[in-house]
Amino acid sequence: MLSTRWNVPWISREIKTMIRRKQRVYNKAKRTNNETHWEEFKLLRKTVKTKLEEAHQNYISQILEVDEEGERKTPVVGKKFWQYVKSKKRDSCGIAPLSSNGKLMEDSKGKAEALNHQFVSVFTDENISSQPKLNGSPSPDIDHLEITVEGKKRRMAKQVGLLPAGCQPWNVDVVAASGDRFVYCATLCVYIYQLDRKFQEFRLVSIMSEHKKTITAIAFNPRNPDFLASAGADRKVIIWNVANQKLVARMDTADTPKAIGWCYDQLDTLSFAGGKGPVQMWKFQDGLMIKTCREASGFPSSILLLRWHPKNTGRLAVGHQNGAISICNVGGKSYKNTLGPEDEDDSEMEDPVSSLQWDPLSTDYLIMCNVRAGVRLIDTESQSVIMKFTPPSAASSISAMSWINNAPGIFVTGDVRSGILRIWNVSMSKPIETIKIKKTGIHALQAITTKIMKPKDGREGHVSSTSAADSPAMVNQAHFAVPPAQILCTFHDGGVGLYDLGLKKWKFLREEGHIETIFECIFCPDDVDLLATASFDGTVKVWNVTDMEAVKTSPGNVGVIYSICWAPADLNCLVAGTSKKGIFIWNYTTNRITQRFHEHGESPVFGVAWNQSDSRRIMSVGQDCYCIIRLVNGEVIQKYRHPEPVFGCDWSPHNKDMLVTGCGDMKVRVYYIPTSADAPLKVFTGHTAKVFKVKWCPLRESIICSGSDDGTVRVWDYTQGACICVLNGHTAPIRGLLWNTEIPYLLITGSWDYSIRIWDLRDGACIDTILDHGADVYGLTSHPDRPFLIASSSRDSTVRLWNITPLVQPLEMNIIAGKPWSEIFGTVESAMVPGQNPLMIGRASIERKIKQLELAGLKDVRPQTLKVFSKFFSQPAGSNNLWDLVSVVQGMDDILLGENYSKGIMHVKHLTKFKASEAQTLEMAKMSKFGGGIGAPTREEHLKESAKIHMQLGNIQRYCEVLVELGQWEKALAVSPGVSLEYWKSLTKRYALRLIKDESDEVVPFGVAVGDTELLISNFTTRGQLFEAVLTAQVACEGAFIPQQNSSSSPGLPNGTDLPSKQEDKLLKNCVHRLADWYFYNGSPILSACCYLSKNDVKVRYFYNGSPTLSACCYLFKDDVKVRYFYNGSPILSACCYLSKDDVKVRYFYNGYPILSACCYLSKNDVKVRYFYNGYPILSACCYLSKDDVKVKYFYNGSPILSACCYLSKNDVKLSKDDVKVRYFYNGSPILSACCYLSKDDVKVRYFYNGSPILSACCYLSKDDVKGAIGILIRGHELELAVAMGTVLGNVSEQTYLAIEYLSRRCEHHGKWELAIDLLKLIPDNSLLLAKCCSRCSASKDEINSLHKRAGLPSTEDCLTEAEKLKNVINCFECAKYYLLSPSPEIGLNIGLQDVKKKLSTGYWDIDEVFSVLQLISCIRSDKLEQNNEMRYEVLCLCSYIGALMAIRKGYDQIVLFLLSLARTLMQRHNLTLPITDQMIEKEQKAWNVILNHKDERSLTFEIDVTSLNISPDILTDFQNLVKKAGLEKSLVGVGPDLVASSHLPSHSDVHISVITGTRIMVSCSDET
């Protein structure tokens, strides 16, 4: 595509062809970085420049007409000449040349200076010498503030979602890690992730954007983890302080720096190099001080990598484009362009160095990697290859590697074609372990070593003879232990992850992301929470905006995708326009390309539009100058020829046959399809550069807007055929246009100046500007059901979600206040009246209004109204989930809830049901023959997830069955006893049968374990192992096997052995006979006879062993137990057997245990007695004292944690809901334990601190904690949602009224005083709140009296009279209140101050009483407060001190020191005489500082045991007195800092640094804090 700057008359087609060729060569050279290609480009560039100059001169000569009548040929100035001159003199300022000091100013700068001088001269300089000077400042100093034009206006739009860019795959050094941070770079931005120690998870904390072209490398300072360096193709090197999110230093370079590296011997020195060198050293803290490294210069190939040795700090390794390396020794000998890859296939393609790392244990060894040549270990001193490492497959290609520093000789590599990590040892050429972590190829990686913390146990160090053995460390097949490390990986699909090698799982993973410019984003009209994006990287991705996760990616790469558009209704298709392959239709549900259209040939297609009124029609425009209308079946129904390329198009939402286009000839055209002519219906001119975007207004039928490269947006009325508005403000070409679908005058634009502007077309004013994108803004779209939620896309490869509701207030406030519909809805004419409050006229709001009108007959429709419109104004992340939970709390059945309910946070009573259903669904997925396509989970993955859920639900048997299906028999057998012993036996027998089928020798132990003699004998017999069969049968007869089932006791033998059962005797007999037959047929009749003679081998054995008496006993007696006792010399026991059926008691008695015998007689349950008499009195006592002795047993067996868990839980088998707290405490982490106690469910806290108060509220609602849910919404400043939810539920009036009060304060902030009063009227006890509101209003007397009347208060004069009356009866509070409402509020201020001083002068004062008075007198108007300095400073000082106490009470620990310090500063500077003294505050300040330093940073609100600290008694006393003054918090919303929704999202422009803490304020600019 050629820029419009080439659309000039003197450029011929031949020159344009040459320019395109130059551009192609440039792109090729940039992609390959080949010197030959660069030389070709430079030659073409020079040729094009020459041709352009010649063509320009020829054109000038041609437009000068020649008069040949005379002897001399004289040029005549004609019409074309003057047109040319006029075009060259076009002035964008619109101001004629000005004269200044006798000179004519024609340029913009000169004219601006002349006007500035003129304006300055008309003002009079004031004499300020007489003004008194103040010594110092009443508040601490803050850094210098830079206020820009855009910064003067407070931004109203609120960022509510962010889709980060993926990691770029273009360069090598694109990831880095240091300490608890890791970073990666997209094309234009650096993403900083930091470990949140409170929840042990990585969070995106900032996005740093300063480079204008592709970032080429990043690197952390090895000594200072806060310093990060980045280099870019814009020829800039930048040093960042990532902790403060600030740019520290910047350097412009002569060439593009491709590689950077920090010098280990100098903390502030960065080396960088581009092209073929040299390497330059920049000492950034000394400004522009640069030193060239002479030893690292004159390289024959381009530099890709720089690696300084961490120990030998003067040694540098350089990786080159040709695959070789150079070793440079500062002050010594250097080896350049050595050890290149061996080119086995004589390929001319280069094999560049993709990774280069010094051995951390050696000064000479390094490891290098080439994509095709693989990995080699190099001895740099001898310039030789020590080891070449060979991948297991020829198809494998290694792209990245890293040493694992805590495992000597171990390094890890990533495969470029698949997401495989390989772990290597330098002594082996083959990998020692291979781990597949993702399906996409790995681009870059870095190993981060971690320390493995073993959980503490009270039994640690105690070893006894019965102690369990420690299992050996897990090793792989090569007998190497897997090192404990985390691998930071980036992938070719833009994914980024942190993989834990020891745990074999992801610690953090972003599956994928766009890696290049996102040209278009658009919401799906049917599934409204789906957002599609089109990118320069050649993919269309679909995202779910509720969690910002990728749902689908278009198959294949079809080149650059410029534009996309969803099909109307529920067709689930979208059309896309590409750079070379025409347009295609992608079916989102089947993930298939269903149609391709090539009418544009190979020309780029810049815009596509699917007719939302007629789903058969698709429009496309492109470089070939055509606008083509086709049907979905491919039939072309119209082609409109344009004089220049067409960039934008749009269908009319009001007439399916009308369309509009934007052309490179600077014109906007309107077409009507039914007309037979190809001529446009209307042509609009006015833009001075190409028109790139056009949009038809969805609310006003005749209105069209267009955005141009001239930086303006024009609004056209095609019925008038004229431009009705020109929007000036952008400083670069316009690329994004979006009409709001509810407010007819709201227009949103995006530009190459990195900004998004929101315009009010009633007066053409820009009402808000968003500067958060780090590059050109292209795509803009709005949510179909939430029209005030918009999405934007940019060249910085991010998608951001914005809530613009603050711009249309007081719409939602009016709904909450119960205003009539006429103040909320209107017509186009009423909404467009200048100064009129916003009125909604769109489809989405009208549908909701109609629903409410249908419910008008109900008794109270307000709760339902608030619920419906709360969904309308809120963001999608969590709000639907919240209202589903509200319905559950109200008693709705889960069957009536939406299908997405089970995918979010569910009520606890539904967890088991839905999880079981999920497990069943996963098991059903195994029946799919073909699976879910590329990238879909496999059958095994489905089953593993199903098994995991079954175990979480306690369904052990189903868990075992799924494991069996997965072939994990041993794991299933290990868990199966948890079901029952019978189930274990059954499962073991099944496994034995499986082993028999597989002819495995491992069957014996499993058959013996369950006592299945028949199975074992059958196995041995089948395999011809007859001796083993006989042995097994004999062992079974002797009773060594566990019987399969209980049976009546068999008669015993005199030597104590039970006689075999008939079944066992039969088995033995069969085995013996079979063995006898085998002997007989093998020619051994004697051995066969022996087998027959011994068929009853017990009796025969006794006889042949010389015991004929015992043999006779076996024959004579069936019940030989009695005989055994008799013949063994125990006739009494023998007699007992005859006399008693229950011989256990008798046996105990006659064996010398009379007590146990008595116990058997006395007690049916002799377990307790047995414990006692066997020497275990504690266990015996436990049995008596507790019906469930498991708890006590755990405690006395040395497992207090498990014991505590059992006590805390009614069900001792499952873990307790509260056992996390106990485990943390007993494992030596009392702080984490306290965090768990402070929050019943730490998931709530995590959501809240991660900027998601709605999801946090969902967690509270899941346990029916309505008060907690509304409280967390208030703390997250989701006030409208809190009011709506509180009103719907109806049983939390106090929290609801508090939220309404805060909303009223927000209305005050926006100047909506009457609305603030109306909101306060919703609160029953509102007299004081109304008085405070009216006291704060600064307006004219009539306006204030009108506000008093609305609030039901007396006029200002009547308030003065009432105050005088109250002054006489000494009612200080009421008197001060009425004075504040009167024309003399300063009297009320004085009365309130005296009352506060009086209270503080007493030894015992209540902070609540003092605070209420201070809060009242603080409502005085600022203009009145400034009239009396002494009272002003007294109020500020007292507010600072009491505010510090309230901060301690509320848990705002970080601001306490600042408020105490401010109180002291005011007191010292202005010599204030107050009941509180400077010495007292100083002691309290010191005490608080000491105690604060002992608090854990993860839980500042945790009440520590101060008496256990090693501090002085005086400090302890001061601290305790301070806390006692603060008292206990009685807040309705909980204790702790308030965190606004989405405050965790990184921002470029909306960063407010606190003068108190020096860190970013986590509060939205649009909320009242």
Side-chain angles (χ1 to χ4, degrees), residues 345-482:
D345 56 356
D346 296 329
S347 174
E348 295 182 358
M349 294 181 61
E350 292 181 332
D351 189 10
V353 177
S354 60
S355 188
L356 193 63
Q357 300 284 340
W358 286 102
D359 187 337
L361 301 179
S362 171
T363 58
D364 298 324
Y365 292 174
L366 66 77
I367 193 165
M368 65 177 292
C369 174
N370 304 81
V371 175
R372 296 199 303 275
V375 182
R376 293 172 291 164
L377 181 64
I378 305 296
D379 184 347
T380 59
E381 190 65 27
S382 63
Q383 298 294 295
S384 61
V385 178
I386 300 174
M387 175 74 76
K388 185 173 182 180
F389 302 94
T390 308
S393 170
S396 301
S397 297
I398 297 173
S399 60
M401 66 179 183
S402 178
W403 289 102
I404 301 179
N405 291 332
N406 62 345
I410 302 291
F411 65 94
V412 62
T413 63
D415 196 291
V416 72
R417 299 181 182 177
S418 60
I420 294 178
L421 288 178
R422 293 186 177 89
I423 304 173
W424 308 73
N425 184 277
V426 291
S427 62
M428 303 175 63
S429 62
K430 297 290 184 181
I432 60 177
E433 183 154 354
T434 299
I435 308 171
K436 189 174 179 84
I437 58 174
K438 206 169 180 283
K439 298 187 177 185
T440 314
I442 297 173
H443 171 65
L445 61 82
Q446 181 171 345
I448 308 172
T449 56
T450 57
K451 294 182 179 179
I452 303 300
M453 302 298 294
K454 295 182 179 179
K456 296 180 180 179
D457 195 338
R459 296 169 291 172
E460 184 177 355
H462 174 70
V463 180
S464 68
S465 60
T466 59
S467 297
D470 291 333
S471 61
M474 295 186 65
V475 296
N476 47 45
Q477 295 179 356
H479 305 289
F480 283 94
V482 177

Side-chain angles (χ1 to χ4, degrees), residues 415-702:
D415 196 291
V416 72
R417 299 181 182 177
S418 60
I420 294 178
L421 288 178
R422 293 186 177 89
I423 304 173
W424 308 73
N425 184 277
V426 291
S427 62
M428 303 175 63
S429 62
K430 297 290 184 181
I432 60 177
E433 183 154 354
T434 299
I435 308 171
K436 189 174 179 84
I437 58 174
K438 206 169 180 283
K439 298 187 177 185
T440 314
I442 297 173
H443 171 65
L445 61 82
Q446 181 171 345
I448 308 172
T449 56
T450 57
K451 294 182 179 179
I452 303 300
M453 302 298 294
K454 295 182 179 179
K456 296 180 180 179
D457 195 338
R459 296 169 291 172
E460 184 177 355
H462 174 70
V463 180
S464 68
S465 60
T466 59
S467 297
D470 291 333
S471 61
M474 295 186 65
V475 296
N476 47 45
Q477 295 179 356
H479 305 289
F480 283 94
V482 177
Q486 294 177 344
I487 310 300
L488 175 61
C489 307
T490 69
F491 302 89
H492 286 283
D493 62 356
V496 180
L498 193 64
Y499 187 81
D500 193 307
L501 280 182
L503 300 177
K504 299 289 182 67
K505 67 177 185 180
W506 289 105
K507 302 290 283 187
F508 165 84
L509 178 63
R510 278 200 65 248
E511 283 283 359
E512 57 183 293
H514 283 297
I515 57 178
E516 255 293 356
T517 303
I518 303 177
F519 286 115
E520 189 83 84
C521 60
I522 185 168
F523 279 101
C524 178
D526 181 51
D527 196 343
V528 293
D529 288 334
L530 295 182
L531 178 71
T533 54
S535 172
F536 188 92
D537 61 18
T539 62
V540 177
K541 295 181 185 292
V542 179
W543 312 84
N544 190 323
V545 295
T546 59
D547 55 12
M548 301 307 284
E549 294 292 334
V551 179
K552 287 283 180 68
T553 300
S554 61
N557 189 311
V558 292
V560 178
I561 300 180
Y562 289 116
S563 180
I564 54 174
C565 185
W566 285 97
D570 58 350
L571 296 180
N572 296 320
C573 293
L574 56 80
V575 61
T578 70
S579 59
K580 293 182 179 180
K581 298 185 179 180
I583 69 175
F584 65 86
I585 296 177
W586 174 40
N587 188 310
Y588 155 74
T589 54
T590 62
N591 199 26
R592 295 180 58 189
I593 304 295
T594 59
Q595 287 273 22
R596 290 190 184 273
F597 306 109
H598 301 282
E599 292 85 359
H600 291 279
E602 294 186 358
S603 298
V605 178
F606 298 126
V608 292
W610 205 315
N611 195 320
Q612 300 299 302
S613 302
D614 185 351
S615 61
R616 299 173 301 163
R617 296 178 180 179
I618 298 174
M619 171 169 50
S620 62
V621 295
Q623 179 71 32
D624 61 351
C625 307
Y626 275 101
C627 171
I628 301 176
I629 314 298
R630 68 180 59 76
L631 300 180
V632 291
N633 61 8
E635 178 186 351
V636 175
I637 60 176
Q638 191 60 270
K639 294 180 72 173
Y640 295 113
R641 173 74 180 176
H642 291 66
E644 295 287 343
V646 191
F647 298 99
C649 62
D650 193 28
W651 291 100
S652 168
H654 314 284
N655 188 325
K656 67 178 183 178
D657 294 322
M658 294 190 72
L659 59 100
V660 60
T661 62
C663 184
D665 65 351
M666 305 175 286
K667 296 179 181 179
V668 176
R669 292 172 172 84
V670 177
Y671 291 92
Y672 186 57
I673 295 178
T675 60
S676 58
D678 294 342
L681 190 66
K682 294 284 185 179
V683 178
F684 299 112
T685 60
H687 283 295
T688 58
K690 72 179 180 186
V691 179
F692 196 88
K693 204 80 170 180
V694 287
K695 281 289 181 182
W696 213 297
C697 180
L699 302 176
R700 301 163 68 191
E701 184 175 354
S702 62

Side-chain angles (χ1 to χ4, degrees), residues 1051-1304:
L1053 296 175
N1055 62 357
T1057 304
D1058 291 340
L1059 283 177
S1061 65
K1062 292 182 179 180
Q1063 183 181 4
E1064 291 169 344
D1065 185 64
K1066 183 178 179 180
L1067 285 173
L1068 178 60
K1069 181 178 180 182
N1070 291 337
C1071 290
V1072 170
H1073 286 181
R1074 185 165 295 182
L1075 181 60
D1077 292 341
W1078 183 80
Y1079 276 128
F1080 183 77
Y1081 285 104
N1082 281 334
S1084 302
I1086 298 175
L1087 293 177
S1088 177
C1090 293
C1091 293
Y1092 277 106
L1093 287 173
S1094 64
K1095 61 182 178 180
N1096 193 352
D1097 56 350
V1098 180
K1099 306 174 182 62
V1100 178
R1101 186 191 306 134
Y1102 280 132
F1103 182 81
Y1104 283 100
N1105 284 343
S1107 302
T1109 305
L1110 291 178
S1111 177
C1113 290
C1114 291
Y1115 281 103
L1116 294 172
F1117 297 100
K1118 293 183 179 180
D1119 189 1
D1120 57 354
V1121 179
K1122 310 173 184 63
V1123 180
R1124 185 195 305 142
Y1125 281 132
F1126 184 80
Y1127 281 98
N1128 283 344
S1130 302
I1132 297 175
L1133 290 179
S1134 178
C1136 291
C1137 291
Y1138 281 102
L1139 294 172
S1140 173
K1141 293 183 179 180
D1142 188 1
D1143 60 349
V1144 179
K1145 308 175 185 63
V1146 182
R1147 184 185 300 134
Y1148 276 136
F1149 182 81
Y1150 284 100
N1151 283 343
Y1153 301 103
I1155 298 176
L1156 290 179
S1157 177
C1159 291
C1160 292
Y1161 280 103
L1162 294 172
S1163 173
K1164 293 182 179 180
N1165 189 358
D1166 59 350
V1167 179
K1168 308 175 184 65
V1169 183
R1170 183 184 301 137
Y1171 276 136
F1172 182 80
Y1173 285 102
N1174 284 343
Y1176 300 103
I1178 296 175
L1179 292 178
S1180 176
C1182 293
C1183 294
Y1184 279 103
L1185 293 172
S1186 172
K1187 294 181 179 180
D1188 188 2
D1189 61 347
V1190 180
K1191 309 175 185 66
V1192 186
K1193 186 191 299 171
Y1194 277 136
F1195 182 80
Y1196 284 101
N1197 283 343
S1199 303
I1201 300 175
L1202 294 176
S1203 176
C1205 293
C1206 294
Y1207 275 107
L1208 290 170
S1209 174
K1210 294 181 180 180
N1211 188 353
D1212 62 339
V1213 177
K1214 300 177 182 176
L1215 290 176
S1216 166
K1217 294 180 180 179
D1218 290 335
D1219 64 342
V1220 180
K1221 311 172 183 64
V1222 183
R1223 184 183 301 134
Y1224 275 137
F1225 183 80
Y1226 282 102
N1227 283 344
S1229 302
I1231 296 175
L1232 292 177
S1233 176
C1235 292
C1236 294
Y1237 278 104
L1238 288 172
S1239 170
K1240 293 182 178 179
D1241 189 357
D1242 61 346
V1243 179
K1244 309 179 185 71
V1245 182
R1246 180 183 295 118
Y1247 278 132
F1248 182 68
Y1249 281 93
N1250 282 345
S1252 303
I1254 298 178
L1255 293 177
S1256 179
C1258 289
C1259 294
Y1260 280 97
L1261 279 181
S1262 68
K1263 289 187 177 181
D1264 297 324
D1265 187 355
V1266 179
K1267 292 183 178 179
I1270 295 183
I1272 211 71
L1273 288 175
I1274 294 174
R1275 289 176 60 195
H1277 289 238
E1278 293 286 353
L1279 302 177
E1280 297 88 349
L1281 194 56
V1283 172
M1285 194 179 83
T1287 305
V1288 170
L1289 292 173
N1291 56 353
V1292 280
S1293 57
E1294 291 183 344
Q1295 285 87 353
T1296 306
Y1297 295 151
L1298 180 62
I1300 293 174
E1301 179 186 345
Y1302 290 160
L1303 277 178
S1304 172

